[in-house]
Amino acid sequence: MIQDELSKLRLKLIAITLAFSFIPLFSLGLGLYNRFYETYLDKVYESLSNLVENKKVTIDLYLSERVAQLSNLALTESYQDLSKEAYLEHIFGVLQMHSKSFLDLQVIDQNGICTAYVGPYQLKGIDYSREEWFHKVMARGIHVSDVFLGFRKYPHFNIAVSRREGDKTWVLRAAIDSDIFDSLVRSIHLGKTGDAFILASDHVLQTKPRFGHAMFDTLDFPNVPRFSGTRVESLAIEGQTSLYAMTWLNHKDWLLVVKDDPREEMLPIMRARWLLILLLAGGTLLIVGGAVWVAGGTVKALVRAEREKAALDASLTQSSKMAALGKLAAGVAHEVNNPLAIIMEKAGWMRDLLSEEDIKASPNFQEFEDAVSKIEFHVRRAKDVTHRLLGFARRMEPTQEDLDVNLLLDQTRSFLENEASFRGITFISDYQKDLPRIESDASQLQQVFLNIMDNAIDAIDKNGTITVATCHLPDTGEVDIAISDTGKGMTKEAQEKIFDPFFTTKKVGEGTGLGLTISYSIVEKLGGHIHVTSEEGKGTTFHITLPIAP
Amino acid sequence: MGLRVLAVDDEADFIETLVKRFTYRQIPVTAAASGPEALARLDAEPFDVVILDMRMPGMDGLAVLREIKKRHPLVEVIILTGHASVEAGMQGMSLGAYDYVLKPVDFGELLEKAKKAHERKQLNEARSRQA
């Protein structure tokens, strides 16, 4: 019952401790982690976004410079001048002085025929009138093509500008080495698996990415409508989730993409997560251990307090019980003694009368004589009981003498040795040699020892040992006397009643059930304590503790 | 001079039987049922030994004993007690009683004590006469 409640209390204590420790620990840990995660993610996105923005500016600047160069040229020079190849060559030379990326330069008339060409290929006379770009440049004035291999078998793109001169429109077109993009794009400082590339509107790669694809491959990229600024998204492309920072170029419908491996970017977060898990696990272990320890300690202290209280209660109950019983016994003894005295006297008187001559002659004389004897005998028996009761209840001042407990025990033992050896019982002495002498009442103590040893002999009946041990208890300044037998022992119920008056396990007429009651009151009166421990079938031990000085 | 006994007890049956048994043995004995009656008897005639019960209604044995010792210091008193108080017995002894006997008492023992008390009284009387 109590064990159940205690283990429940223990669990409750552990649960409460855990709850109040874990809730703050986990909310703090997870809260901080989330905060850190968000902040870090923002930072990663922002840096990617900045990176792509910067590149965009660079590439746009490059493109706009090239377009501006060509436009300026077209606006400042006339078709007449430029269609002369020598002059064109001169102009091309000037252009190349500023930028090596110009591969060639050609002038195309309004019918789409190349009228002048400077560059490594023979393109003069080619008819572009059916090309789409030609129509676009004629209509819009500027056209920037996607990157392609073309006749040149070399990745490049064209910038074409048209000029209206009088009623004629002519086109100045330059091929530009697209390697420059590769270097521009790739110069982005990226992690191990990071990548950067330019995608045309039809998802054809315009630069060679570091991994996986070649130039002009069509990438399985989601359709991204044109937007301004930059955008960072986590996309799953070709079965691989990465972070993609994207921006549209201003001068061309090209999408600049910077790809980064989230795992690499998130490494510090992963580290933080592991650290958090480690800390939480460690904290959990500590808290669980602490909670169990604290709860265990609390419950242990409670159990100890409970036990002490129970022991105190038991001893208080016992002494108040004995005091009440003492009063009761004295009252009963007194009330019984008076009638007993009268019976005794009456019987005595009858005996007196029976001694007269004439009654002696009566035929029933013997019967009268016997009856009187029996009455006297049983009155004496009753008297024994009442006198013992009075002995238990009386409050005679015990005498104080300086005595050696070991010696007293030996003397007491000697009274019983005959009977003991007759029954095959041996006495074993386990005395502390330097036991301090005590101040007490020798004859009363002897009565107690005799009583307990006598009981021990009865408990053993035949063949066994009685061990008498003494020791000094320096903590309490007491002497402990333990008298153990190897007898039949007794039940818990019997142990509780053992000191009660008239409690006896002996046959009717053999014991009065007052011996231990009197022993108890004697020991208490001498300032000591007596208690019993017993196990059924194994034996019984009586402990008597006596103060060295009262 | 023979032994003269005054028996004091409130138990009529007890005292009656006691009187019969002393008388049977040719010892003159007078019964008193209470303390004041006993004192009155003592004032009226001389006694050697008083057998005095401790617990009586009204005046109890100890008070009677004190009074007897005050008025008749040479009279010996044997205390009879049915009570738990060996203590009372001891107290009685310290007040000058000759002995105390626990009820129920063996008549022979009581008689023996009465005789011894009488002897002591005679001794004391002889001593006081010499003085």
Side-chain angles (χ1 to χ4, degrees):
Chain A
M1 248 291 279
I2 285 182
Q3 212 59 39
D4 265 15
E5 263 171 44
L6 283 176
S7 57
K8 248 184 232 161
L9 177 72
R10 188 166 163 272
L11 288 180
K12 217 186 215 170
L13 279 175
I14 292 175
I16 290 170
T17 318
L18 290 187
F20 281 101
S21 313
F22 279 146
I23 292 169
L25 179 73
F26 277 94
S27 46
L28 189 74
L30 296 178
L32 280 179
Y33 173 76
N34 276 342
R35 196 81 204 153
F36 174 69
Y37 182 83
E38 275 166 26
T39 312
Y40 189 80
L41 210 62
D42 280 352
K43 217 189 96 198
V44 167
Y45 275 39
E46 200 182 299
S47 82
L48 271 177
S49 170
N50 283 340
L51 199 66
V52 81
E53 174 76 29
N54 289 343
K55 282 298 146 188
K56 171 199 165 159
V57 169
T58 314
I59 293 166
D60 266 339
L61 193 67
Y62 176 82
L63 277 176
S64 65
E65 265 179 20
R66 298 291 87 78
V67 170
Q69 272 178 318
L70 277 186
S71 298
N72 285 343
L73 206 60
L75 285 172
T76 48
E77 304 294 334
S78 67
Y79 176 73
Q80 212 90 58
D81 294 340
L82 286 179
S83 51
K84 291 175 194 142
E85 283 200 337
Y87 187 68
L88 195 65
E89 188 133 13
H90 165 69
I91 293 293
F92 182 62
V94 173
L95 272 182
Q96 273 199 321
M97 267 164 61
H98 291 292
S99 171
K100 291 277 183 214
S101 48
F102 283 100
L103 291 174
D104 61 8
L105 195 61
Q106 56 186 318
V107 179
I108 298 154
D109 68 9
Q110 68 177 358
N111 298 320
I113 310 295
C114 175
T115 52
Y117 174 82
V118 187
Y121 308 104
Q122 283 301 315
L123 299 179
K124 193 173 171 183
I126 288 181
D127 182 0
Y128 291 114
S129 61
R130 294 217 177 90
E131 302 281 335
E132 205 185 291
W133 65 265
F134 180 71
H135 297 289
K136 278 187 182 161
V137 77
M138 292 298 277
R140 291 187 200 156
I142 296 172
H143 177 258
V144 180
S145 76
D146 285 345
V147 176
F148 63 103
L149 288 172
F151 306 110
R152 300 175 181 82
K153 306 289 177 209
Y154 191 83
H156 68 282
F157 68 99
N158 292 320
I159 299 174
V161 292
S162 64
R163 173 162 178 219
R164 184 130 188 104
E165 202 177 338
D167 55 349
K168 280 185 189 158
T169 305
W170 56 278
V171 173
L172 185 64
R173 185 182 185 228
I176 294 171
D177 181 0
S178 76
D179 273 357
I180 188 79
F181 286 137
D182 282 1
S183 56
L184 271 179
V185 167
R186 286 215 213 142
S187 68
I188 294 174
H189 183 75
L190 292 164
K192 273 182 210 152
T193 56
D195 210 343
F197 48 83
I198 292 171
L199 273 185
S201 52
D202 50 2
H203 302 167
V204 172
L205 280 164
Q206 301 295 297
T207 60
K208 180 167 175 14
R210 285 170 76 192
F211 305 105
H213 288 278
M215 213 167 165
F216 305 120
D217 282 358
T218 303
L219 210 61
D220 183 19
F221 206 77
N223 275 318
V224 185
R226 212 181 158 85
F227 58 87
S228 63
T230 59
R231 196 183 279 180
V232 182
E233 272 172 45
S234 174
L235 297 172
I237 287 162
E238 292 168 352
Q240 202 182 1
T241 305
S242 299
L243 278 176
Y244 287 90
M246 299 167 284
T247 186
W248 285 100
L249 295 181
N250 287 340
H251 286 278
K252 175 73 187 147
D253 53 349
W254 283 350
L255 188 67
L256 174 64
V257 179
V258 173
K259 173 188 158 193
D260 207 351
D261 185 0
R263 274 170 303 181
E264 203 170 319
E265 284 301 326
M266 295 296 165
L267 208 61
I269 286 193
M270 288 298 150
R271 282 202 195 113
R273 182 183 286 177
W274 279 112
L275 188 69
L276 180 76
I277 288 170
L278 217 69
L279 279 177
L280 286 183
T284 303
L285 274 179
L286 265 179
I287 288 169
V288 169
V292 168
W293 186 64
V294 166
T298 310
V299 168
K300 220 179 263 170
L302 266 177
V303 168
R304 201 180 318 122
E306 202 64 38
R307 253 189 220 139
E308 275 163 17
K309 193 174 156 276
L312 187 68
D313 277 356
S315 106
L316 279 179
T317 310
Q318 182 72 354
S319 45
S320 66
K321 188 169 82 181
M322 294 315 255
L325 283 170
K327 272 185 195 150
L328 182 71
V332 168
H334 178 246
E335 290 309 320
V336 172
N337 273 347
N338 274 324
L340 276 183
I342 294 166
I343 295 168
M344 185 91 147
E345 287 314 309
K346 290 290 179 196
W349 177 230
M350 281 166 79
R351 180 174 290 287
D352 288 349
L353 294 180
L354 281 175
S355 63
E356 285 183 11
E357 289 296 324
D358 50 338
I359 295 178
K360 266 187 185 163
S362 153
N364 288 328
F365 174 75
Q366 199 53 44
E367 290 298 314
F368 286 127
E369 171 83 26
D370 284 353
V372 169
S373 296
K374 284 282 178 219
I375 291 172
E376 283 178 331
F377 173 76
H378 287 286
V379 167
R380 272 191 207 101
R381 206 177 125 192
K383 185 181 105 175
D384 274 353
V385 172
T386 56
H387 283 193
R388 271 167 182 264
L389 270 181
L390 291 177
F392 152 60
R394 75 183 164 198
R395 299 222 175 87
M396 211 172 92
E397 274 301 307
T399 59
Q400 298 293 341
E401 46 201 305
D402 183 43
L403 61 92
D404 179 346
V405 175
N406 292 347
L407 193 67
L408 190 65
L409 282 166
D410 276 338
Q411 282 171 1
T412 312
R413 212 176 79 174
S414 63
F415 294 130
L416 296 167
E417 237 143 29
N418 262 342
E419 198 191 345
S421 63
F422 175 69
R423 295 216 216 171
I425 295 167
T426 44
F427 275 100
I428 297 171
S429 302
D430 180 14
Y431 298 155
Q432 184 177 329
K433 290 276 184 304
D434 55 344
L435 196 71
R437 296 170 76 85
I438 68 168
E439 288 263 314
S440 205
D441 186 320
S443 63
Q444 294 203 29
L445 274 183
Q446 194 158 42
Q447 195 185 336
V448 173
F449 297 154
L450 198 62
N451 206 310
I452 291 172
M453 288 182 192
D454 200 29
N455 281 344
I457 290 175
D458 283 340
I460 294 171
D461 195 22
K462 277 194 178 104
N463 300 325
T465 52
I466 296 172
T467 308
V468 183
T470 58
C471 67
H472 180 213
L473 308 170
D475 292 350
T476 51
E478 286 174 319
V479 164
D480 181 74
I481 301 132
I483 300 173
S484 320
D485 65 58
T486 56
K488 53 184 181 283
M490 55 187 148
T491 61
K492 268 230 145 22
E493 291 75 43
Q495 284 180 51
E496 275 170 24
K497 289 187 193 149
I498 190 90
F499 297 113
D500 290 0
F502 305 115
F503 178 81
T504 181
T505 54
K506 296 173 188 171
K507 278 188 211 129
V508 178
E510 276 184 12
T512 55
L514 286 170
L516 283 174
T517 313
I518 293 167
S519 299
Y520 181 90
S521 71
I522 289 174
V523 172
E524 291 282 311
K525 220 159 42 193
L526 294 174
H529 301 285
I530 181 168
H531 71 97
V532 64
T533 55
S534 181
E535 205 174 322
E536 265 187 290
K538 293 218 171 148
T540 303
T541 300
F542 279 91
H543 278 276
I544 301 156
T545 51
L546 291 167
I548 289 172
Chain B
M1 199 191 237
L3 166 67
R4 290 158 302 174
V5 177
L6 175 65
V8 189
D9 198 326
D10 61 318
E11 293 268 357
D13 282 339
F14 180 74
I15 207 87
E16 179 204 321
T17 319
L18 212 59
V19 167
K20 278 182 186 167
R21 296 193 77 183
F22 273 111
T23 312
Y24 185 77
R25 284 165 179 78
Q26 273 94 42
I27 296 166
V29 61
T30 307
S34 70
E37 195 190 333
L39 290 170
R41 298 256 181 213
L42 271 170
D43 287 342
E45 49 182 310
F47 288 98
D48 299 311
V49 175
V50 178
I51 295 168
L52 181 61
D53 188 31
M54 272 289 112
R55 193 188 257 193
M56 289 182 292
M59 200 172 181
D60 83 341
L62 281 176
V64 179
L65 174 63
R66 267 192 214 101
E67 205 53 38
I68 292 172
K69 281 291 160 186
K70 203 157 74 187
R71 300 190 200 171
H72 315 281
L74 286 174
V75 171
E76 293 295 342
V77 177
I78 294 171
I79 289 170
L80 201 55
T81 174
H83 192 233
S85 48
V86 173
E87 205 180 324
M90 303 292 266
Q91 205 179 340
M93 301 279 283
S94 68
L95 283 173
Y98 173 72
D99 204 348
Y100 76 93
V101 182
L102 277 176
K103 273 186 186 176
V105 64
D106 185 75
F107 185 77
E109 189 188 331
L110 185 62
L111 190 60
E112 203 55 42
K113 287 195 172 167
K115 281 178 178 165
K116 287 214 169 119
H118 182 222
E119 277 170 24
R120 191 166 92 162
K121 184 183 176 246
Q122 285 173 325
L123 258 160
N124 282 344
E125 275 171 349
R127 225 177 277 158
S128 65
R129 268 197 300 273
Q130 279 170 9

